[in-house]
Amino acid sequence: MDEQLVVGFDLDMTLIDTVPGFAATLEVLGSELGVELPITELTGNLGPPLDLLLEPHLPAAQVPAAIARFREIYPGTAVAPTPATAGAAEALAAVRRHGGRTLLVTGKFTPNARLHVEHLGLDVDVVEGEVWGGAKGEVLRRHGAHLYVGDHVHDVEGAQAAGVPSVSVLTGGCTTGQLRAAGTDVVLDDLSGFPAWLDDFVLQARLERLEASLRAHDRVLVAFSGGADSAFLLAAAVRALGPDRVGAATAYSSSLPLSERDPARAFAESLGVRVLTPQTHEMDREGYRANAGDRCAFCKSELLEVLGPLAAAEGYAVVATGTNADDARAGFRPGIAAAADRGAVTPLLDAGITKEQVRAASRSWGLPTWDKPAAACLSSRVAYGIEITPSRLARVERAEADLRAALEAAGHAVRDVRVRDLGETARVEVDRDLVDAVAHHLDVVRAAGFEAAEVDPLGFRSGSMNALLPDPERWR
């Protein structure tokens, strides 16, 4: 799915429980016409256009006027008592969470449909009313919908006419059997189950795109740090191309913690790929050592200028990095541009795969890295403006390892530990629930070579050092 997600929803009995308001309006209409309308029967078959509902109970000549009067009565009798269905707000929010747009396609009179949207605060972008059955397909196609959610067999017809998946909910009058017979793709009890279903739908679409992009290359060398993103990319490349056409390159330097090396190699070897461990020398680059806001650009430049020729020499078509969609949206990634300038490809980013989706897919594939804590390079611990040196990085690595060991020895379960080097003072960031506990173990941080150590009361935050830049916008 390379374009923005667009999800179409029906209104009556899908996003709203129309029965109370519809019944109230029918009572007023029947009283005015002097006709006893079968309200229970009519409210049990909501979805079809009003003329189809009224025709069996009124003379044909009276139907147009009755419809007009129904629509006049409706705002004052139906809007206020009509609630949203279970999970409606969460379903719409799930589309937003994936950066998508929401489209309301309903048989209801458009002005009245808008009244429900406004009254309930439904988060929809477009309201298209007075369309029914297969005619909904044209509207869905025109707006580029990727799927349609409804409760009626005729909503299934609309999805089929548009050539998109049909998601049906059992909050209307149709049964599972009826919906399945009509050809729906999915049946949910109500919209409460839609967010989880949508998460999987979007993920599967993006995984298919990832596989296709990887298959476009004959042989791929993955820049493999051992973290969750590059581990997932490596596994995806093996699935798409086979282990003989994939390599894992883990650059060894003082920026990569020693503790990461053996697990990274073991993981890559478990996939059957060839492992390359070239040395990189980012420390030789003045811009890297200077540690301004563009430090990562110098690091990625060094990495790609080593891996590019290596890939060519070993017969790999491209070097792929584990940059994901969240990385690009974060707005503070000078290394991404530097890698792109040197020919690196970004399959996860190109497929729109987020960090959360990396972890979800990794878990479903049984990868041990699915819940691995973030492990940025050691230089990210050093405050901008303080020179990067091998001894400084070694001090940070030693302090983090000793602090983690001390906390675990005291019986604490530890996920994230960062020792931020502020010069001669270390600022410790840990999981929020360990902030108080870590204060009793700061002696091990000082013993690693810091004159002083303090605890960040806010706990661990990825990228927290960026906030210390005097002009962070300069590097975005």
Side-chain angles (χ1 to χ4, degrees):
M1 185 181 302
D2 55 352
E3 68 274 16
Q4 184 182 33
L5 174 69
V6 179
V7 178
F9 289 89
D10 176 49
L11 182 62
D12 290 328
M13 306 311 298
T14 299
L15 287 174
I16 63 173
D17 180 357
T18 319
V19 172
F22 197 82
T25 307
L26 286 175
E27 287 180 6
V28 175
L29 179 65
S31 177
E32 289 185 2
L33 296 177
V35 176
E36 187 173 344
L37 296 171
I39 292 175
T40 301
E41 175 188 335
L42 292 173
T43 55
N45 187 33
L46 292 174
L50 192 56
D51 57 349
L52 296 183
L53 293 177
L54 294 180
E55 279 174 356
H57 310 288
L58 294 173
Q62 292 185 18
V63 171
I67 292 174
R69 181 57 183 150
F70 180 96
R71 289 172 174 173
E72 291 174 355
I73 299 168
Y74 193 93
T77 58
V79 175
T82 298
T85 56
E90 292 78 6
L92 295 170
V95 179
R96 293 291 190 219
R97 183 158 45 81
H98 288 292
R101 296 176 62 248
T102 51
L103 171 66
L104 183 60
V105 186
T106 174
K108 188 178 290 297
F109 185 49
T110 304
N112 288 341
R114 290 198 176 105
L115 288 175
H116 284 294
V117 169
E118 293 167 3
H119 177 72
L120 295 172
L122 300 176
D123 185 16
V124 298
D125 295 302
V126 178
V127 177
E128 293 259 7
E130 302 165 73
V131 284
W132 171 245
K136 291 185 175 183
E138 189 280 327
V139 177
L140 293 169
R141 285 195 302 272
R142 175 157 42 86
H143 288 279
H146 293 93
L147 60 126
Y148 185 57
V149 186
D151 64 282
H152 203 279
V153 292
H154 293 297
D155 295 325
V156 179
E157 291 178 7
Q160 291 173 333
V164 299
S166 168
V167 179
S168 298
V169 289
L170 297 175
T171 43
C174 293
T175 65
T176 298
Q178 291 171 326
L179 293 164
R180 290 292 188 193
T184 193
D185 297 283
V186 181
V187 177
L188 304 173
D189 288 339
D190 56 38
L191 287 175
S192 299
F194 181 75
W197 180 88
L198 184 66
D199 287 348
D200 186 63
F201 174 80
V202 172
L203 176 57
Q204 293 308 312
R206 290 176 178 172
L207 289 177
E208 289 174 7
R209 188 173 178 220
L210 172 63
E211 180 176 1
S213 71
L214 288 167
R215 285 183 180 276
H217 304 293
D218 180 53
R219 302 181 77 234
V220 174
L221 182 64
V222 175
F224 178 52
S225 68
D229 295 331
S230 60
F232 173 68
L233 176 59
L234 187 63
V238 169
R239 284 177 168 235
L241 300 172
D244 294 341
R245 296 166 62 191
V246 178
T250 303
Y252 283 4
S253 75
S254 53
S255 300
L256 178 70
L258 293 174
S259 59
E260 294 289 328
R261 296 184 181 184
D262 288 344
R265 176 181 283 277
F267 177 86
E269 289 178 344
S270 74
L271 297 177
V273 303
R274 184 182 177 194
V275 180
L276 305 173
T277 56
Q279 293 284 333
T280 55
H281 303 281
E282 57 269 21
M283 206 70 70
D284 292 346
R285 296 185 178 236
E286 182 179 352
Y288 183 85
R289 296 194 308 274
N291 194 25
D294 57 350
R295 181 198 64 239
C296 289
F298 294 97
C299 180
K300 281 295 189 291
S301 297
E302 172 69 15
L303 176 65
L304 269 300
E305 287 173 16
V306 169
L307 296 191
L310 178 63
E314 299 294 337
Y316 295 101
V318 292
V319 177
T321 72
T323 301
N324 65 51
D326 288 332
D327 292 333
R329 284 194 290 265
F332 198 89
R333 294 292 188 271
I336 293 177
D341 288 344
R342 286 156 182 79
V345 297
T346 52
L348 302 183
L349 171 60
D350 296 342
I353 294 176
T354 65
K355 185 72 171 186
E356 180 181 356
Q357 290 174 326
V358 165
R359 294 196 183 280
S362 295
R363 186 174 190 177
S364 69
W365 291 359
L367 303 183
T369 51
W370 75 269
D371 65 343
K372 184 177 181 180
C377 81
L378 290 170
S379 295
S380 69
R381 275 75 149 173
V382 182
Y384 291 111
I386 296 175
E387 184 181 9
I388 302 293
T389 65
S391 60
R392 189 176 292 279
L393 299 185
R395 179 174 68 171
V396 168
E397 182 174 14
R398 186 166 58 249
E400 286 187 356
D402 292 348
L403 179 58
R404 181 182 290 274
L407 288 168
E408 291 176 345
H412 299 292
V414 185
R415 179 174 175 81
D416 290 300
V417 174
R418 291 289 188 274
V419 173
R420 308 294 192 186
D421 186 337
L422 306 183
E424 291 309 315
T425 298
R427 187 184 71 196
V428 177
E429 297 178 13
V430 292
D431 307 321
R432 191 70 62 88
D433 60 340
L434 294 180
V435 167
D436 293 335
V438 78
H440 303 293
H441 300 281
L442 292 179
D443 56 322
V444 300
V445 177
R446 290 188 290 269
F450 289 95
E451 292 182 3
E454 60 188 35
V455 182
D456 189 324
L458 298 178
F460 169 73
R461 291 155 355 266
S462 180
S464 64
M465 298 300 271
N466 296 340
L468 300 180
L469 278 169
D471 183 16
E473 292 302 319
R474 175 184 174 190
W475 311 107
R476 293 189 188 277

